[in-house]
Amino acid sequence: MGKVIAVFNQKGGVGKTTTNVNLSASIGQMGKKTLVLDLDPQGNTTSGYGIDKSSVDYTIYEIMLDGLDIKDAIISTEFENVDIVAAATELAGAEIELTNMEDREYILKKAIESVRSEYEYIFIDCPPSLGMLTINCLTAVDSVLIPIQCEYYALEGVSQLMETIKLVRSRLNPNIDIQGVVLSMFDGRANLSIQVVEEVKKYFKGSVYTTLIPRNVRLAEAPSHGKPVIYYDSRCKGSVAYLELAEEFIDLEEDII
Ligand code: ADP
Ligand code: MG
């Protein structure tokens, strides 16, 4: 059974989408069959994988709102071992539409069930808000991977985030776990970045990945070329970091280290 993982943090701009795209692409390149679900109406994961949102027939919207079989919405990307289910702006309306549906928190979980055995990993990119889409996501996953930006107030909002996870654990998904915490936009020359790493490690103890994701302009450029960074500039710092993160992720998953 594939493991389902949400890339989640209620804060916007912390590197969720960048991590979702680049970690999944790196894991795919390492030979693991991976599915990426774009649950953010902005669809940045979809375009980051080079998919033109306007040309997609079916998105996560039709799966969740019209009961479309997820298999009919899966698109294979041109990148190794990665398939995707796209998002589109209409998904923004789903927040309201979902509130009237039966078992509304479990819709995504049920939809994913039929393809879980076909992938080793399923990554979900969450919107920054805490609406029905995010609740569906947290109900459907085995674990959450939390990106935290190395900046002032990095831990601001983190206690709320942990409360959200606890609430989901007690009401909707007893098995939800923390996959790991990724520090993003690290600047090794800045004392602030170094302090943030220490603070976050103190808060999350053993859950923080050793790999730090540096601030790297290639990571910001790659989406406009419709490519994960490892296919855009394979030797830049961002590529090296996400490949290293993928290795650490897999090693921990497979209990190698
Ligand atoms: P979120 O999905 O949490 O809102 P994004 O992944 O979209 O965050 O990142 C926010 C912005 O920061 C984007 O413009 C992205 O290209 C840029 N960015 C993310 N990570 C890095 C990084 N490590 N180095 C440089 N720019 C980054
Ligand atoms: Mg995003």
PDB file of all heavy atoms in Angstrom, residues 9 11-20 40 42 44 125-126 128 147 149 184-186 213-221 223 238 242, ligand 1:
ATOM      1  N   ASN A   9       1.257  23.120   6.043  1.00  0.00           N
ATOM      2  CA  ASN A   9       1.539  24.185   7.012  1.00  0.00           C
ATOM      3  C   ASN A   9       0.508  25.263   6.712  1.00  0.00           C
ATOM      4  O   ASN A   9       0.337  25.643   5.551  1.00  0.00           O
ATOM      5  CB  ASN A   9       2.973  24.723   6.821  1.00  0.00           C
ATOM      6  CG  ASN A   9       3.371  25.697   7.918  1.00  0.00           C
ATOM      7  OD1 ASN A   9       2.518  26.339   8.523  1.00  0.00           O
ATOM      8  ND2 ASN A   9       4.662  25.803   8.147  1.00  0.00           N
ATOM      9  N   LYS A  11       0.601  28.247   7.203  1.00  0.00           N
ATOM     10  CA  LYS A  11       1.220  29.486   6.747  1.00  0.00           C
ATOM     11  C   LYS A  11       1.466  29.394   5.242  1.00  0.00           C
ATOM     12  O   LYS A  11       1.884  28.348   4.740  1.00  0.00           O
ATOM     13  CB  LYS A  11       2.570  29.625   7.447  1.00  0.00           C
ATOM     14  CG  LYS A  11       2.772  30.928   8.169  1.00  0.00           C
ATOM     15  CD  LYS A  11       4.089  30.865   8.906  1.00  0.00           C
ATOM     16  CE  LYS A  11       4.423  32.194   9.495  1.00  0.00           C
ATOM     17  NZ  LYS A  11       5.691  32.147  10.216  1.00  0.00           N
ATOM     18  N   GLY A  12       1.244  30.507   4.541  1.00  0.00           N
ATOM     19  CA  GLY A  12       1.533  30.524   3.104  1.00  0.00           C
ATOM     20  C   GLY A  12       2.981  30.914   2.862  1.00  0.00           C
ATOM     21  O   GLY A  12       3.615  31.537   3.721  1.00  0.00           O
ATOM     22  N   GLY A  13       3.502  30.558   1.700  1.00  0.00           N
ATOM     23  CA  GLY A  13       4.840  31.011   1.304  1.00  0.00           C
ATOM     24  C   GLY A  13       5.995  30.399   2.060  1.00  0.00           C
ATOM     25  O   GLY A  13       7.085  30.963   2.093  1.00  0.00           O
ATOM     26  N   VAL A  14       5.778  29.241   2.681  1.00  0.00           N
ATOM     27  CA  VAL A  14       6.856  28.628   3.458  1.00  0.00           C
ATOM     28  C   VAL A  14       7.630  27.550   2.685  1.00  0.00           C
ATOM     29  O   VAL A  14       8.588  26.987   3.195  1.00  0.00           O
ATOM     30  CB  VAL A  14       6.336  28.011   4.786  1.00  0.00           C
ATOM     31  CG1 VAL A  14       5.771  29.084   5.692  1.00  0.00           C
ATOM     32  CG2 VAL A  14       5.312  26.927   4.521  1.00  0.00           C
ATOM     33  N   GLY A  15       7.159  27.278   1.464  1.00  0.00           N
ATOM     34  CA  GLY A  15       7.855  26.262   0.655  1.00  0.00           C
ATOM     35  C   GLY A  15       7.103  24.952   0.529  1.00  0.00           C
ATOM     36  O   GLY A  15       7.678  23.928   0.166  1.00  0.00           O
ATOM     37  N   LYS A  16       5.798  24.969   0.775  1.00  0.00           N
ATOM     38  CA  LYS A  16       4.997  23.741   0.638  1.00  0.00           C
ATOM     39  C   LYS A  16       5.041  23.215  -0.788  1.00  0.00           C
ATOM     40  O   LYS A  16       5.382  22.066  -1.035  1.00  0.00           O
ATOM     41  CB  LYS A  16       3.532  24.006   0.992  1.00  0.00           C
ATOM     42  CG  LYS A  16       3.238  24.140   2.464  1.00  0.00           C
ATOM     43  CD  LYS A  16       1.735  24.240   2.722  1.00  0.00           C
ATOM     44  CE  LYS A  16       1.109  25.507   2.163  1.00  0.00           C
ATOM     45  NZ  LYS A  16       1.592  26.745   2.789  1.00  0.00           N
ATOM     46  N   THR A  17       4.653  24.082  -1.720  1.00  0.00           N
ATOM     47  CA  THR A  17       4.554  23.629  -3.104  1.00  0.00           C
ATOM     48  C   THR A  17       5.929  23.286  -3.671  1.00  0.00           C
ATOM     49  O   THR A  17       6.090  22.268  -4.362  1.00  0.00           O
ATOM     50  CB  THR A  17       3.855  24.719  -3.954  1.00  0.00           C
ATOM     51  OG1 THR A  17       2.551  24.939  -3.401  1.00  0.00           O
ATOM     52  CG2 THR A  17       3.727  24.300  -5.399  1.00  0.00           C
ATOM     53  N   THR A  18       6.909  24.098  -3.341  1.00  0.00           N
ATOM     54  CA  THR A  18       8.272  23.840  -3.817  1.00  0.00           C
ATOM     55  C   THR A  18       8.757  22.481  -3.303  1.00  0.00           C
ATOM     56  O   THR A  18       9.358  21.700  -4.050  1.00  0.00           O
ATOM     57  CB  THR A  18       9.205  24.973  -3.331  1.00  0.00           C
ATOM     58  OG1 THR A  18       8.647  26.221  -3.769  1.00  0.00           O
ATOM     59  CG2 THR A  18      10.611  24.819  -3.865  1.00  0.00           C
ATOM     60  N   THR A  19       8.444  22.192  -2.048  1.00  0.00           N
ATOM     61  CA  THR A  19       8.847  20.909  -1.472  1.00  0.00           C
ATOM     62  C   THR A  19       8.044  19.769  -2.083  1.00  0.00           C
ATOM     63  O   THR A  19       8.599  18.717  -2.414  1.00  0.00           O
ATOM     64  CB  THR A  19       8.677  20.949   0.068  1.00  0.00           C
ATOM     65  OG1 THR A  19       9.588  21.927   0.578  1.00  0.00           O
ATOM     66  CG2 THR A  19       8.962  19.612   0.706  1.00  0.00           C
ATOM     67  N   ASN A  20       6.754  19.998  -2.259  1.00  0.00           N
ATOM     68  CA  ASN A  20       5.935  18.939  -2.834  1.00  0.00           C
ATOM     69  C   ASN A  20       6.444  18.546  -4.219  1.00  0.00           C
ATOM     70  O   ASN A  20       6.677  17.367  -4.508  1.00  0.00           O
ATOM     71  CB  ASN A  20       4.477  19.407  -2.900  1.00  0.00           C
ATOM     72  CG  ASN A  20       3.524  18.259  -3.168  1.00  0.00           C
ATOM     73  OD1 ASN A  20       3.872  17.098  -3.013  1.00  0.00           O
ATOM     74  ND2 ASN A  20       2.332  18.585  -3.596  1.00  0.00           N
ATOM     75  N   ASP A  40      -4.539  22.454  -4.030  1.00  0.00           N
ATOM     76  CA  ASP A  40      -4.558  23.910  -3.864  1.00  0.00           C
ATOM     77  C   ASP A  40      -5.176  24.545  -5.109  1.00  0.00           C
ATOM     78  O   ASP A  40      -4.660  24.353  -6.208  1.00  0.00           O
ATOM     79  CB  ASP A  40      -3.122  24.415  -3.657  1.00  0.00           C
ATOM     80  CG  ASP A  40      -3.084  25.895  -3.291  1.00  0.00           C
ATOM     81  OD1 ASP A  40      -4.094  26.603  -3.536  1.00  0.00           O
ATOM     82  OD2 ASP A  40      -2.056  26.341  -2.765  1.00  0.00           O
ATOM     83  N   GLN A  42      -4.909  27.216  -6.374  1.00  0.00           N
ATOM     84  CA  GLN A  42      -3.948  27.990  -7.182  1.00  0.00           C
ATOM     85  C   GLN A  42      -3.249  27.124  -8.218  1.00  0.00           C
ATOM     86  O   GLN A  42      -2.704  27.640  -9.188  1.00  0.00           O
ATOM     87  CB  GLN A  42      -2.910  28.642  -6.273  1.00  0.00           C
ATOM     88  CG  GLN A  42      -3.494  29.764  -5.459  1.00  0.00           C
ATOM     89  CD  GLN A  42      -2.420  30.485  -4.662  1.00  0.00           C
ATOM     90  OE1 GLN A  42      -1.234  30.400  -4.974  1.00  0.00           O
ATOM     91  NE2 GLN A  42      -2.826  31.182  -3.631  1.00  0.00           N
ATOM     92  N   ASN A  44      -0.406  25.537  -8.270  1.00  0.00           N
ATOM     93  CA  ASN A  44       1.019  25.752  -8.524  1.00  0.00           C
ATOM     94  C   ASN A  44       1.806  24.452  -8.687  1.00  0.00           C
ATOM     95  O   ASN A  44       2.802  24.416  -9.412  1.00  0.00           O
ATOM     96  CB  ASN A  44       1.654  26.580  -7.394  1.00  0.00           C
ATOM     97  CG  ASN A  44       1.094  27.992  -7.358  1.00  0.00           C
ATOM     98  OD1 ASN A  44       0.545  28.477  -8.349  1.00  0.00           O
ATOM     99  ND2 ASN A  44       1.207  28.651  -6.226  1.00  0.00           N
ATOM    100  N   ASP A 125      -0.515  18.317  -2.044  1.00  0.00           N
ATOM    101  CA  ASP A 125      -0.182  19.720  -1.762  1.00  0.00           C
ATOM    102  C   ASP A 125      -1.428  20.415  -1.214  1.00  0.00           C
ATOM    103  O   ASP A 125      -2.460  20.475  -1.873  1.00  0.00           O
ATOM    104  CB  ASP A 125       0.277  20.434  -3.040  1.00  0.00           C
ATOM    105  CG  ASP A 125       0.943  21.769  -2.705  1.00  0.00           C
ATOM    106  OD1 ASP A 125       1.499  21.894  -1.608  1.00  0.00           O
ATOM    107  OD2 ASP A 125       0.890  22.681  -3.545  1.00  0.00           O
ATOM    108  N   CYS A 126      -1.319  20.932   0.002  1.00  0.00           N
ATOM    109  CA  CYS A 126      -2.478  21.543   0.667  1.00  0.00           C
ATOM    110  C   CYS A 126      -2.550  23.044   0.421  1.00  0.00           C
ATOM    111  O   CYS A 126      -1.528  23.705   0.352  1.00  0.00           O
ATOM    112  CB  CYS A 126      -2.371  21.370   2.170  1.00  0.00           C
ATOM    113  SG  CYS A 126      -2.718  19.729   2.731  1.00  0.00           S
ATOM    114  N   PRO A 128      -3.201  26.806   1.898  1.00  0.00           N
ATOM    115  CA  PRO A 128      -2.797  27.319   3.204  1.00  0.00           C
ATOM    116  C   PRO A 128      -3.958  27.505   4.184  1.00  0.00           C
ATOM    117  O   PRO A 128      -3.727  27.659   5.371  1.00  0.00           O
ATOM    118  CB  PRO A 128      -2.137  28.671   2.883  1.00  0.00           C
ATOM    119  CG  PRO A 128      -2.605  29.041   1.529  1.00  0.00           C
ATOM    120  CD  PRO A 128      -3.013  27.793   0.829  1.00  0.00           C
ATOM    121  N   PRO A 147       6.888  21.837   6.040  1.00  0.00           N
ATOM    122  CA  PRO A 147       7.983  22.748   5.710  1.00  0.00           C
ATOM    123  C   PRO A 147       7.923  23.990   6.603  1.00  0.00           C
ATOM    124  O   PRO A 147       6.843  24.526   6.846  1.00  0.00           O
ATOM    125  CB  PRO A 147       7.712  23.146   4.250  1.00  0.00           C
ATOM    126  CG  PRO A 147       6.520  22.375   3.820  1.00  0.00           C
ATOM    127  CD  PRO A 147       5.807  21.931   5.056  1.00  0.00           C
ATOM    128  N   GLN A 149       9.863  27.748   7.106  1.00  0.00           N
ATOM    129  CA  GLN A 149      10.805  28.686   6.480  1.00  0.00           C
ATOM    130  C   GLN A 149      11.751  29.254   7.542  1.00  0.00           C
ATOM    131  O   GLN A 149      11.317  29.627   8.632  1.00  0.00           O
ATOM    132  CB  GLN A 149      10.003  29.806   5.828  1.00  0.00           C
ATOM    133  CG  GLN A 149      10.827  30.726   4.977  1.00  0.00           C
ATOM    134  CD  GLN A 149      10.002  31.859   4.404  1.00  0.00           C
ATOM    135  OE1 GLN A 149       8.776  31.809   4.408  1.00  0.00           O
ATOM    136  NE2 GLN A 149      10.683  32.876   3.902  1.00  0.00           N
ATOM    137  N   SER A 184      13.237  25.148   5.206  1.00  0.00           N
ATOM    138  CA  SER A 184      13.402  25.641   3.842  1.00  0.00           C
ATOM    139  C   SER A 184      13.946  27.068   3.833  1.00  0.00           C
ATOM    140  O   SER A 184      13.866  27.780   4.829  1.00  0.00           O
ATOM    141  CB  SER A 184      12.072  25.575   3.089  1.00  0.00           C
ATOM    142  OG  SER A 184      11.193  26.562   3.573  1.00  0.00           O
ATOM    143  N   MET A 185      14.488  27.434   2.684  1.00  0.00           N
ATOM    144  CA  MET A 185      15.037  28.783   2.459  1.00  0.00           C
ATOM    145  C   MET A 185      16.130  29.106   3.485  1.00  0.00           C
ATOM    146  O   MET A 185      16.199  30.216   4.013  1.00  0.00           O
ATOM    147  CB  MET A 185      13.922  29.826   2.441  1.00  0.00           C
ATOM    148  CG  MET A 185      12.903  29.514   1.354  1.00  0.00           C
ATOM    149  SD  MET A 185      11.640  30.751   1.184  1.00  0.00           S
ATOM    150  CE  MET A 185      10.175  29.724   1.123  1.00  0.00           C
ATOM    151  N   PHE A 186      16.964  28.133   3.739  1.00  0.00           N
ATOM    152  CA  PHE A 186      18.065  28.288   4.697  1.00  0.00           C
ATOM    153  C   PHE A 186      19.189  29.103   4.059  1.00  0.00           C
ATOM    154  O   PHE A 186      19.554  28.887   2.903  1.00  0.00           O
ATOM    155  CB  PHE A 186      18.567  26.898   5.104  1.00  0.00           C
ATOM    156  CG  PHE A 186      19.751  26.935   6.032  1.00  0.00           C
ATOM    157  CD1 PHE A 186      19.591  27.255   7.373  1.00  0.00           C
ATOM    158  CD2 PHE A 186      21.029  26.649   5.568  1.00  0.00           C
ATOM    159  CE1 PHE A 186      20.680  27.284   8.236  1.00  0.00           C
ATOM    160  CE2 PHE A 186      22.124  26.677   6.418  1.00  0.00           C
ATOM    161  CZ  PHE A 186      21.954  26.995   7.754  1.00  0.00           C
ATOM    162  N   ILE A 213      17.120  22.828   3.200  1.00  0.00           N
ATOM    163  CA  ILE A 213      16.894  23.307   1.825  1.00  0.00           C
ATOM    164  C   ILE A 213      17.367  24.765   1.757  1.00  0.00           C
ATOM    165  O   ILE A 213      16.804  25.630   2.429  1.00  0.00           O
ATOM    166  CB  ILE A 213      15.399  23.219   1.432  1.00  0.00           C
ATOM    167  CG1 ILE A 213      14.861  21.787   1.622  1.00  0.00           C
ATOM    168  CG2 ILE A 213      15.206  23.706  -0.005  1.00  0.00           C
ATOM    169  CD1 ILE A 213      15.530  20.701   0.817  1.00  0.00           C
ATOM    170  N   PRO A 214      18.398  25.032   0.969  1.00  0.00           N
ATOM    171  CA  PRO A 214      18.926  26.394   0.923  1.00  0.00           C
ATOM    172  C   PRO A 214      18.025  27.327   0.115  1.00  0.00           C
ATOM    173  O   PRO A 214      17.210  26.861  -0.694  1.00  0.00           O
ATOM    174  CB  PRO A 214      20.268  26.218   0.208  1.00  0.00           C
ATOM    175  CG  PRO A 214      20.047  25.041  -0.688  1.00  0.00           C
ATOM    176  CD  PRO A 214      19.088  24.132   0.046  1.00  0.00           C
ATOM    177  N   ARG A 215      18.181  28.594   0.367  1.00  0.00           N
ATOM    178  CA  ARG A 215      17.565  29.568  -0.529  1.00  0.00           C
ATOM    179  C   ARG A 215      18.345  29.487  -1.834  1.00  0.00           C
ATOM    180  O   ARG A 215      19.571  29.581  -1.840  1.00  0.00           O
ATOM    181  CB  ARG A 215      17.690  30.958   0.076  1.00  0.00           C
ATOM    182  CG  ARG A 215      16.848  31.996  -0.590  1.00  0.00           C
ATOM    183  CD  ARG A 215      16.884  33.287   0.180  1.00  0.00           C
ATOM    184  NE  ARG A 215      15.888  33.345   1.251  1.00  0.00           N
ATOM    185  CZ  ARG A 215      14.580  33.498   1.046  1.00  0.00           C
ATOM    186  NH1 ARG A 215      14.090  33.600  -0.174  1.00  0.00           N
ATOM    187  NH2 ARG A 215      13.744  33.556   2.053  1.00  0.00           N
ATOM    188  N   ASN A 216      17.673  29.245  -2.935  1.00  0.00           N
ATOM    189  CA  ASN A 216      18.362  29.038  -4.203  1.00  0.00           C
ATOM    190  C   ASN A 216      17.447  29.521  -5.334  1.00  0.00           C
ATOM    191  O   ASN A 216      16.318  29.066  -5.481  1.00  0.00           O
ATOM    192  CB  ASN A 216      18.691  27.538  -4.368  1.00  0.00           C
ATOM    193  CG  ASN A 216      19.315  27.196  -5.700  1.00  0.00           C
ATOM    194  OD1 ASN A 216      18.844  26.326  -6.426  1.00  0.00           O
ATOM    195  ND2 ASN A 216      20.399  27.865  -6.048  1.00  0.00           N
ATOM    196  N   VAL A 217      17.951  30.449  -6.110  1.00  0.00           N
ATOM    197  CA  VAL A 217      17.111  31.094  -7.120  1.00  0.00           C
ATOM    198  C   VAL A 217      16.602  30.104  -8.170  1.00  0.00           C
ATOM    199  O   VAL A 217      15.516  30.263  -8.718  1.00  0.00           O
ATOM    200  CB  VAL A 217      17.866  32.295  -7.751  1.00  0.00           C
ATOM    201  CG1 VAL A 217      19.012  31.822  -8.622  1.00  0.00           C
ATOM    202  CG2 VAL A 217      16.915  33.198  -8.520  1.00  0.00           C
ATOM    203  N   ARG A 218      17.353  29.041  -8.407  1.00  0.00           N
ATOM    204  CA  ARG A 218      16.922  28.010  -9.374  1.00  0.00           C
ATOM    205  C   ARG A 218      15.594  27.375  -8.961  1.00  0.00           C
ATOM    206  O   ARG A 218      14.784  27.000  -9.803  1.00  0.00           O
ATOM    207  CB  ARG A 218      17.981  26.917  -9.507  1.00  0.00           C
ATOM    208  CG  ARG A 218      19.275  27.403 -10.106  1.00  0.00           C
ATOM    209  CD  ARG A 218      19.016  27.819 -11.503  1.00  0.00           C
ATOM    210  NE  ARG A 218      20.167  27.805 -12.346  1.00  0.00           N
ATOM    211  CZ  ARG A 218      20.363  28.687 -13.326  1.00  0.00           C
ATOM    212  NH1 ARG A 218      19.483  29.651 -13.539  1.00  0.00           N
ATOM    213  NH2 ARG A 218      21.404  28.588 -14.097  1.00  0.00           N
ATOM    214  N   LEU A 219      15.402  27.252  -7.652  1.00  0.00           N
ATOM    215  CA  LEU A 219      14.148  26.674  -7.150  1.00  0.00           C
ATOM    216  C   LEU A 219      12.960  27.576  -7.476  1.00  0.00           C
ATOM    217  O   LEU A 219      11.858  27.110  -7.726  1.00  0.00           O
ATOM    218  CB  LEU A 219      14.235  26.452  -5.636  1.00  0.00           C
ATOM    219  CG  LEU A 219      15.079  25.271  -5.175  1.00  0.00           C
ATOM    220  CD1 LEU A 219      15.308  25.332  -3.674  1.00  0.00           C
ATOM    221  CD2 LEU A 219      14.408  23.959  -5.552  1.00  0.00           C
ATOM    222  N   ALA A 220      13.214  28.876  -7.459  1.00  0.00           N
ATOM    223  CA  ALA A 220      12.139  29.820  -7.763  1.00  0.00           C
ATOM    224  C   ALA A 220      11.914  29.931  -9.278  1.00  0.00           C
ATOM    225  O   ALA A 220      10.801  30.210  -9.720  1.00  0.00           O
ATOM    226  CB  ALA A 220      12.486  31.179  -7.170  1.00  0.00           C
ATOM    227  N   GLU A 221      12.966  29.679 -10.061  1.00  0.00           N
ATOM    228  CA  GLU A 221      12.860  29.788 -11.528  1.00  0.00           C
ATOM    229  C   GLU A 221      12.216  28.568 -12.178  1.00  0.00           C
ATOM    230  O   GLU A 221      11.477  28.684 -13.158  1.00  0.00           O
ATOM    231  CB  GLU A 221      14.265  29.929 -12.144  1.00  0.00           C
ATOM    232  CG  GLU A 221      14.927  31.255 -11.932  1.00  0.00           C
ATOM    233  CD  GLU A 221      16.413  31.200 -12.307  1.00  0.00           C
ATOM    234  OE1 GLU A 221      16.897  30.156 -12.802  1.00  0.00           O
ATOM    235  OE2 GLU A 221      17.089  32.216 -12.099  1.00  0.00           O
ATOM    236  N   PRO A 223       9.727  26.501 -11.737  1.00  0.00           N
ATOM    237  CA  PRO A 223       8.305  26.384 -12.083  1.00  0.00           C
ATOM    238  C   PRO A 223       7.912  27.144 -13.355  1.00  0.00           C
ATOM    239  O   PRO A 223       7.035  26.700 -14.100  1.00  0.00           O
ATOM    240  CB  PRO A 223       7.585  26.997 -10.868  1.00  0.00           C
ATOM    241  CG  PRO A 223       8.570  26.953  -9.756  1.00  0.00           C
ATOM    242  CD  PRO A 223       9.926  27.048 -10.372  1.00  0.00           C
ATOM    243  N   GLY A 238      19.824  23.748  -5.107  1.00  0.00           N
ATOM    244  CA  GLY A 238      18.452  23.314  -4.819  1.00  0.00           C
ATOM    245  C   GLY A 238      18.231  21.858  -5.216  1.00  0.00           C
ATOM    246  O   GLY A 238      17.584  21.090  -4.494  1.00  0.00           O
ATOM    247  N   TYR A 242      17.313  18.785  -2.618  1.00  0.00           N
ATOM    248  CA  TYR A 242      16.082  17.982  -2.672  1.00  0.00           C
ATOM    249  C   TYR A 242      16.379  16.505  -2.929  1.00  0.00           C
ATOM    250  O   TYR A 242      15.669  15.618  -2.426  1.00  0.00           O
ATOM    251  CB  TYR A 242      15.079  18.564  -3.672  1.00  0.00           C
ATOM    252  CG  TYR A 242      14.213  19.620  -2.990  1.00  0.00           C
ATOM    253  CD1 TYR A 242      14.381  20.972  -3.267  1.00  0.00           C
ATOM    254  CD2 TYR A 242      13.257  19.272  -2.048  1.00  0.00           C
ATOM    255  CE1 TYR A 242      13.615  21.946  -2.627  1.00  0.00           C
ATOM    256  CE2 TYR A 242      12.485  20.223  -1.397  1.00  0.00           C
ATOM    257  CZ  TYR A 242      12.667  21.557  -1.690  1.00  0.00           C
ATOM    258  OH  TYR A 242      11.901  22.493  -1.038  1.00  0.00           O
TER     259      TYR A 242
HETATM  260  P1  ADP B   1       3.794  27.713  -0.295  1.00  0.00           P
HETATM  261  O1  ADP B   1       3.351  26.631  -1.189  1.00  0.00           O
HETATM  262  O2  ADP B   1       4.008  27.287   1.119  1.00  0.00           O
HETATM  263  O3  ADP B   1       2.916  28.919  -0.363  1.00  0.00           O
HETATM  264  P2  ADP B   1       5.979  28.073  -2.181  1.00  0.00           P
HETATM  265  O4  ADP B   1       6.634  26.744  -2.295  1.00  0.00           O
HETATM  266  O5  ADP B   1       5.048  28.445  -3.274  1.00  0.00           O
HETATM  267  O6  ADP B   1       5.256  28.200  -0.774  1.00  0.00           O
HETATM  268  O7  ADP B   1       7.129  29.157  -2.008  1.00  0.00           O
HETATM  269  C1  ADP B   1       6.862  30.537  -1.907  1.00  0.00           C
HETATM  270  C2  ADP B   1       7.795  31.311  -2.847  1.00  0.00           C
HETATM  271  O8  ADP B   1       9.140  31.126  -2.444  1.00  0.00           O
HETATM  272  C3  ADP B   1       7.721  30.846  -4.287  1.00  0.00           C
HETATM  273  O9  ADP B   1       7.867  31.951  -5.127  1.00  0.00           O
HETATM  274  C4  ADP B   1       8.905  29.903  -4.437  1.00  0.00           C
HETATM  275  O10 ADP B   1       9.412  29.873  -5.753  1.00  0.00           O
HETATM  276  C5  ADP B   1       9.910  30.527  -3.492  1.00  0.00           C
HETATM  277  N1  ADP B   1      10.777  29.522  -2.861  1.00  0.00           N
HETATM  278  C6  ADP B   1      10.385  28.417  -2.174  1.00  0.00           C
HETATM  279  N2  ADP B   1      11.445  27.740  -1.698  1.00  0.00           N
HETATM  280  C7  ADP B   1      12.540  28.428  -2.091  1.00  0.00           C
HETATM  281  C8  ADP B   1      13.947  28.252  -1.892  1.00  0.00           C
HETATM  282  N3  ADP B   1      14.429  27.230  -1.186  1.00  0.00           N
HETATM  283  N4  ADP B   1      14.790  29.165  -2.456  1.00  0.00           N
HETATM  284  C9  ADP B   1      14.297  30.219  -3.152  1.00  0.00           C
HETATM  285  N5  ADP B   1      13.005  30.443  -3.360  1.00  0.00           N
HETATM  286  C10 ADP B   1      12.116  29.561  -2.837  1.00  0.00           C
END
